């Protein structure tokens, strides 16, 4: 079957660094994405990793290890506005007519002052 | 900016009613998706469409159908609403089927079936 596992909740303080892990098991693999969703809002795209290694975008970085079927989202210099749910997602097929993005169950990040 | 608009933010329907959820995107995207979001279950794909009049079943299509008569509009239909379809419904679009192509989501429709 296909599954993505993330911790359900993470708590951290302002200014700290937090890592949200994601392990996946899918029939195909064409990249790991991360989405952020504030309470009551739409999920928004954060990052995409196709190859092993770390991708950095400002305070956020995303890491992928395809051999371990594992990735993480790293948030640095946490701010209160980073309090949100974070979803990892895997594309299980390359292009073509079937183009499914499979989401994890989400990690609720609470940033405390 | 891409705008994905869902017609209703909140909807309350009775069991057995036929329900239409509408979604419109303004960026000429080929692909459109309907997801359902429930606590502890994440986002689950109901149906998607990669072209006008084309559709593919997602992971949980039972009890739902879709319609895509125009490129910008993708409708989700609950043929006979049931209480277990009470959920948040999210529509999304993306410009291509390439793996790096991100999804752009609407703000969701919270449907309650009583």
């Amino acid at each position: 079957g296909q599954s993505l596992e993330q911790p359900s909740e993470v708590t951290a303080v302002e200014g700290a660094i937090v890592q949200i892990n994601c392990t996946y098991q899918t029939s195909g693999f064409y990249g790991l994405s991360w989405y952020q969703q504030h309470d009551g809002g739409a999920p928004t795209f954060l990052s995409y990793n196709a190859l092993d290694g770390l991708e950095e975008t400002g305070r956020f970085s995303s890491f992928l290890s395809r051999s371990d079927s594992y990735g993480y989202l790293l948030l640095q210099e946490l701010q209160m506005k980073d309090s949100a749910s974070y979803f990892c997602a895997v594309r299980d097929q390359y292009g073509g007519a079937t183009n499914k993005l499979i989401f994890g169950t989400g990690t609720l990040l609470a940033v405390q002052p | 900016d891409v705008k994905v608009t869902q017609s209703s933010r909140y909807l309350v329907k009775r069991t057995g009613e036929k329900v239409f959820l509408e979604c419109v995107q303004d960026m000429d995207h080929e692909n459109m998706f309907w997801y359902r979001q429930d606590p502890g279950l994440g986002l689950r794909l109901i149906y998607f469409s990669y072209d006008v009049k084309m559709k593919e079943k997602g992971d949980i299509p039972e009890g739902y159908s879709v319609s895509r008569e125009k490129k910008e509009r993708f409708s989700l239909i609950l043929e006979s609403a049931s209480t277990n379809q009470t959920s948040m419904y999210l529509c999304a679009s993306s410009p291509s089927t390439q793996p790096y192509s991100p999804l752009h989501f609407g703000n969701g429709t919270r449907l309650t079936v009583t």
Side-chain angles (χ1 to χ4, degrees), chain A residues 5-11 20-21 84-86 105-110, chain B residues 40:
Chain A
E5 291 192 13
Q6 311 176 229
S8 58
E9 292 183 28
V10 173
T11 301
I20 300 173
N21 298 321
S85 291
Y86 293 84
T105 53
T107 299
L108 180 62
L109 171 63

Side-chain angles (χ1 to χ4, degrees), chain A residues 65-86:
Chain A
S65 169
R66 288 174 296 169
S67 60
D68 295 322
S69 298
Y70 164 76
Y72 65 73
L73 180 69
L74 190 73
L75 295 83
Q76 303 183 74
E77 300 172 19
L78 279 175
Q79 301 176 9
M80 297 297 290
K81 67 178 181 179
D82 298 329
S83 293
S85 291
Y86 293 84

